[in-house]
Every structure is written in structure tokens, then in C-alpha cells.
Amino acid sequence: MPTSSPLPYVPPGLNDPTEKDASATAVRLVRALRGCGVFLEQVAPGVVSGRPVVAVRGRMNVGTAERLAAGLESFAHRPAKALEELRPKGTLPLEVTPDEVKVGDHLPLDGGCYRIRNMRGASGSSRILELEGRQLPWIMTGPRTVFRPADQFQFPLPT
């Protein structure tokens, strides 16, 4: 008997950013960077090649720049392999936000898949994850696909 995917269908284009999203992101970026000691001269939402963007110009000290670069690098790491190749046996893929991730989930990262052994909140919208087999913690700042053990899903019984 075929089983249906636990993930909902999302129509193409539903999550594409808009100019309003770019404006809201510009405000969040200004607040976040100001909190880190970054002086911004100009932040402006705009559109480049039909895609919403945020243009930023400003100054920051070297220590702040290094911390920001490290955070961006950890955010930029994506699996080099297809997700299905990384999926541990007995797990199902699930798109989660930082507040929905759980200890025991498996996170595809840097061409491998790491089990989350511990976590703590960095802020309201991010989590610092300690991963088995990876020395440094990883900061989850946005939605990601994780693999969750199948026994943690509840499927409706067929009628």
C-alpha cells in the first residue's frame, strides 16, 4: 500500500520573496547589525533582475566582521550530496524552522548527516545545535530539511 508523504504540497512560487519581504528584511538587518556594533550608512530594498534584494553600505570593526563572516559561512554550508543519499535508515525528511527542530533529528550539512545531540536558543529565531561527529556547534537561522525518526510521525490510520 503506497504511503503519502508527510510533507504538505507547496505550490511553486508560493514562497518566492516579494518587495515587501525585502523591505521587512532590510529593517531586520539594520536592527541585527546595529546590535552587533555595525554602523550602516545606507540600507535600501530594491530589485535586481526581477529579484528582491537589500543593498547595504556601512562600516564595522574587524572583530565584528569576523564574527559575521563565521555566521554567514555556517549558514551557507549546504549538503554536497543529494538529500536522499544522506538520509539515515528509519527517518523521514521534514522541513523545520529553528524552533521546531528536536534533539535526535539528523541534519544534512557539509556532505554528511549529523545527529543533533543538544541545542540551545541563540535568539527567538535561531538555535545553536551541537552535532554528533562535528566539533564546532552550528547555528540554525532559518528553515532547513532535517531527517526525523519515522516513529515520531503520526500517520492517520486507513479507514
Side-chain angles (χ1 to χ4, degrees):
M1 167 184 252
T3 60
S4 63
S5 171
L7 302 176
Y9 171 74
V10 178
L14 181 68
N15 292 325
D16 290 347
T18 65
E19 289 183 46
K20 184 178 177 183
D21 294 330
S23 296
T25 301
V27 170
R28 288 182 59 214
L29 182 64
V30 168
R31 289 179 182 158
L33 291 175
R34 188 180 301 144
C36 296
V38 176
F39 172 71
L40 297 176
E41 298 167 356
Q42 180 183 16
V43 178
V47 177
V48 174
S49 300
R51 298 186 68 193
V53 297
V54 178
V56 180
R57 189 176 74 193
R59 297 183 205 139
M60 68 180 83
N61 67 39
V62 173
T64 301
E66 288 173 350
R67 286 192 309 276
L68 181 61
L72 290 172
E73 285 168 358
S74 73
F75 179 69
H77 290 297
R78 299 290 184 205
K81 299 178 182 176
L83 283 178
E84 191 57 36
E85 291 179 40
L86 299 173
R87 185 171 76 118
K89 275 190 163 188
T91 63
L92 295 170
L94 181 66
E95 182 89 8
V96 296
T97 60
D99 61 327
E100 296 170 328
V101 71
K102 295 181 178 182
V103 170
D105 287 348
H106 296 266
L107 178 71
L109 184 68
D110 298 333
C113 196
Y114 302 92
R115 185 179 170 276
I116 300 169
R117 70 171 172 214
N118 198 7
M119 66 181 161
R120 58 191 181 276
S123 71
S125 61
S126 64
R127 295 282 182 267
I128 299 172
L129 306 177
E130 294 177 20
L131 307 170
E132 288 181 4
R134 192 169 194 269
Q135 187 175 10
L136 296 174
W138 188 78
I139 301 171
M140 183 177 178
T141 57
R144 292 288 298 228
T145 298
V146 298
F147 298 110
R148 184 162 291 166
D151 60 1
Q152 294 185 19
F153 286 88
Q154 293 182 359
F155 297 104
L157 296 173
T159 56

